[in-house]
Amino acid sequence: MRNPRPFSILLVLALAVIPLSCGGGSIMVPPPIPPSSGFTLAWGDEFNGADGSTPDASKWTYDLGGGGWGNHELETYTNRAANAQIKSGNLVITAQKETFTGTDGVTRDYTSARLKTLGLFSQAYGRFEARIKIPAGQGMWPAFWMMGNDIGAVGWPKCGEIDVMENIGKEPGMVHGSLHGPSTVAPTTSVTSTVTLPNGQNFADDFHVYAVEWEPAEIRFYVDANNYATFKKADWASTGIWPFDHPFFILLNVAVGGDWPGPPDATTQFPQQMLVDYVRVYTK
């Protein structure tokens, strides 16, 4: 959820779509973890609570307020069911256009939710994955990401940030995977890769599995079964410190506007929703 992004690698995925009879046509089926990979499920949320219920408070808490913590986002984040609730086996994060005064006392024109596991769950290394159907539209900015659990002590970017998946609405067929850390000569040390769908497909049209496999000196990024980027400690800038050596917590959110996506326009339809089928964390 931070910028700038100094370089990008564009790759095209060949994705297999498996038709299922679920009332809505074909959906993406998450690929299994290969048996030889040695991953063991350590934590997860399948979001199988009652329709209309709020996310499990033993697993998720919220960021509240607005401004995007440096990104100049336009929404106020809330903990209301109107912005985050369970429905049909999914976590549904809803961005709405409405006049709302947040906990920071500022009145804004949009609301949404930003959930996190800070103080409830964090882990260093392993596989972190989520099956998500992202929203669409100019100004929308959905994300599945992680930050170091020492952020309260050392701040950002020293804590480190792993952006497993980010999308901005003006790039409907592309998602970004990024690492951010401290630098001695710039605001951050950052690396970024992008991946696109073939044949003009849009990510918001279906569910996809977004994942990273994190080892002490290497982090690999995946969409569905495709390893589209690998970043290694050995290639990290000499002016930066590799901060990916301690537990990180998980975040899920839908931002509205901000420096990177820009504001919504007349073509943007509200409400917009991000559906999260599951979040799973494995150890190896």
Side-chain angles (χ1 to χ4, degrees):
M1 294 294 290
R2 302 282 183 167
N3 274 324
R5 289 166 170 75
F7 67 87
S8 296
I9 305 166
L10 185 62
L11 300 173
V12 177
L13 294 175
L15 298 175
V17 177
I18 302 174
L20 292 180
S21 179
C22 294
S26 298
I27 64 170
M28 291 301 303
V29 176
I33 300 297
S36 61
S37 65
F39 286 110
T40 301
L41 186 66
W43 182 92
D45 197 337
E46 303 295 318
F47 303 114
N48 289 330
D51 282 6
S53 63
T54 53
D56 186 343
S58 71
K59 296 181 177 181
W60 302 97
T61 184
Y62 300 82
D63 275 329
L64 302 176
W69 293 273
N71 291 314
H72 303 108
E73 297 166 18
L74 301 178
E75 82 292 325
T76 293
Y77 286 123
T78 85
N79 58 2
R80 304 179 304 162
N83 295 115
Q85 65 173 275
I86 307 302
K87 186 175 181 180
S88 301
N90 297 305
L91 167 65
V92 181
I93 298 178
T94 301
Q96 302 198 51
K97 186 174 183 179
E98 59 177 331
T99 301
F100 186 86
T101 302
T103 57
D104 55 4
V106 178
T107 300
R108 299 182 178 86
D109 294 329
Y110 304 93
T111 62
S112 188
R114 182 157 118 170
L115 282 71
K116 59 184 181 180
T117 65
L118 179 62
L120 301 171
F121 172 79
S122 61
Q123 179 176 298
Y125 314 129
R127 179 179 169 95
F128 298 73
E129 72 173 39
R131 185 171 182 263
I132 300 173
K133 185 175 186 290
I134 65 171
Q138 167 57 35
M140 305 311 300
W141 185 2
F144 164 42
W145 53 304
M146 306 190 295
M147 288 202 291
N149 67 351
D150 57 348
I151 186 171
V154 304
W156 184 91
K158 288 184 178 180
C159 66
E161 176 177 334
I162 301 172
D163 296 322
V164 186
M165 179 281 295
E166 291 183 280
N167 167 264
I168 54 174
K170 61 187 174 185
E171 299 173 347
M174 179 184 296
V175 294
H176 298 245
S178 310
L179 302 180
H180 303 288
S183 171
T184 59
V185 296
T188 65
T189 300
S190 300
V191 291
T192 299
S193 182
T194 60
V195 63
T196 65
L197 293 173
N199 304 319
Q201 297 177 62
N202 295 333
F203 278 97
D205 291 341
D206 220 329
F207 282 90
H208 295 278
V209 176
Y210 304 97
V212 293
E213 291 180 0
W214 173 17
E215 298 180 1
E218 179 177 299
I219 302 176
R220 298 179 295 276
F221 286 76
Y222 294 81
V223 170
D224 299 316
N226 299 271
N227 173 205
Y228 71 91
T230 299
F231 299 125
K232 298 183 178 182
K233 183 178 182 180
D235 299 326
W236 198 245
S238 60
T239 54
I241 298 172
W242 178 263
F244 310 106
D245 58 359
H246 62 285
F248 276 47
F249 64 95
I250 298 168
L251 300 100
L252 293 163
N253 71 287
V254 177
V256 181
D259 297 331
W260 188 24
D265 62 19
T267 68
T268 312
Q269 298 181 6
F270 286 92
Q272 284 291 328
Q273 295 182 328
M274 180 166 81
L275 309 183
V276 185
D277 180 20
Y278 65 74
V279 178
R280 296 172 186 165
V281 181
Y282 300 83
T283 57
K284 188 172 185 178

